[in-house]
Amino acid sequence: MKTFGALVLSLALAGFGCSSTADYSPSANGDAGGAGGAAGLSGGGGGGGLAGASAPATVASSCPDSGGPVDPTALIDDMEATGPTIPMEGGRNGSWWAGGDMLSPGATIDPNGDAPSEVIPGGGRCGSLHAKHVTGQGFTSWAELSVSMRYGAVDGGTSGLLPYDAHFRTGLTFWARIGDTSAAQVRLAVTDKYTRPEGGICDVNAATGPTACYDNFGVDLKPISKAWTQYRIPFAGLGQRNFGLQEPTGLDTSAIYTIEFDFYPNEVFDFWIDDISFY
């Protein structure tokens, strides 16, 4: 499994519903962000345990600076349209979905299926009025909130997830927080043609081993708290959990299928996310 250096984190307290900034960019000596993992997330077999790294925090600004150039094609979703589908920008036409494994008696997740936006309590965050919100408990294998990049059919075939070329992007930025009763454990993961069965490379029938699917590139969101935090995470800082098909050259950003927020097994989760974009 790849070894990564400490996360470079920036934090600051602020009012009006905005909070801190966490920057996972590689350090000056080339070390990338920590690669955390949970076993059995995203429909895959077990692999890896709890993992992650952190570093002392330094002060940074709260709400993002509104000045400077804007790239509208970088926006994945600002959540303000309220439905599950994302804006049709940059060739993307995907949607938000929430769900978990079917083998956990009594497990619950809300929403279960298409995931619309909710009104942010307390009047919003940094001018934003809506965000995605998912709650749940009791899953023993995996549970997630995910957004697909493209959906459709190729040459008249069956419709399904399609890959999206983001090779010219550096990473992802978004705002997130957890609720009062939530475990402070959420993992960002990005799937590509090597880890999704739609790519035709990994073996969906293998739970573990050198051909197994779902060994997605990701990182634990550390820190995560009840305060809104802005994350800036480079693709180069993501790592696999080392239970399935390995990609020695890293995430294939030319063929991304989904961006996922994975919840650890046997944990209560209450997760909010807003304003997600490429950068």
Side-chain angles (χ1 to χ4, degrees):
M1 181 175 182
K2 298 183 180 179
T3 301
F4 294 92
L7 305 179
V8 181
L9 305 179
S10 301
L11 302 176
L13 297 179
F16 306 104
C18 302
S19 180
S20 57
T21 300
D23 187 353
Y24 287 56
S25 300
S27 62
N29 64 7
D31 292 338
L41 295 175
S42 305
L50 304 183
S54 60
T58 56
V59 175
S61 61
S62 52
C63 291
D65 184 0
S66 59
V70 175
D71 177 5
T73 68
L75 175 70
I76 297 173
D77 200 357
D78 62 5
M79 322 302 183
E80 298 304 323
T82 72
T85 57
I86 63 175
M88 290 187 176
E89 298 286 358
R92 299 180 294 274
N93 68 342
S95 62
W96 290 90
W97 179 88
D101 69 77
M102 304 296 290
L103 304 176
S104 302
T108 61
I109 188 169
D110 185 29
N112 188 1
D114 290 344
S117 302
E118 289 187 17
V119 173
I120 300 173
R125 176 209 56 77
C126 296
S128 178
L129 300 178
H130 299 86
K132 298 300 177 186
H133 181 212
V134 61
T135 61
Q137 56 80 36
F139 291 95
T140 59
S141 182
W142 63 271
E144 69 181 42
L145 172 68
S146 68
V147 58
S148 58
M149 296 292 97
R150 295 178 62 225
Y151 185 87
V154 177
D155 297 330
T158 303
S159 294
L161 295 182
L162 298 175
Y164 175 71
D165 186 356
H167 78 276
F168 55 98
R169 304 294 187 184
T170 302
L172 297 167
T173 182
F174 53 89
W175 289 81
R177 66 177 289 264
I178 54 174
D180 292 341
T181 62
S182 181
Q185 294 180 320
V186 181
R187 183 178 190 261
L188 166 73
V190 182
T191 69
D192 66 8
K193 68 181 182 182
Y194 293 95
T195 61
R196 285 290 308 189
E198 291 87 349
I201 298 173
C202 62
D203 182 1
V204 71
N205 295 314
T208 60
T211 62
C213 296
Y214 304 114
D215 193 358
N216 305 319
F217 280 84
V219 66
D220 284 354
L221 301 184
K222 293 185 177 182
I224 189 167
S225 70
K226 293 181 289 183
W228 281 104
T229 298
Q230 186 181 24
Y231 295 85
R232 183 179 174 87
I233 303 178
F235 294 132
L238 305 180
Q240 293 181 276
R241 291 170 288 155
N242 202 29
F243 70 83
L245 180 64
Q246 297 297 289
E247 299 180 57
T249 59
L251 175 70
D252 186 347
T253 56
S254 71
I256 288 176
Y257 280 85
T258 62
I259 299 166
E260 303 178 353
F261 296 89
D262 296 329
F263 309 110
Y264 277 52
N266 305 305
E267 296 281 11
V268 175
F269 51 90
D270 183 343
F271 179 69
W272 292 82
I273 178 174
D274 195 14
D275 289 347
I276 182 169
S277 296
F278 293 110
Y279 71 88

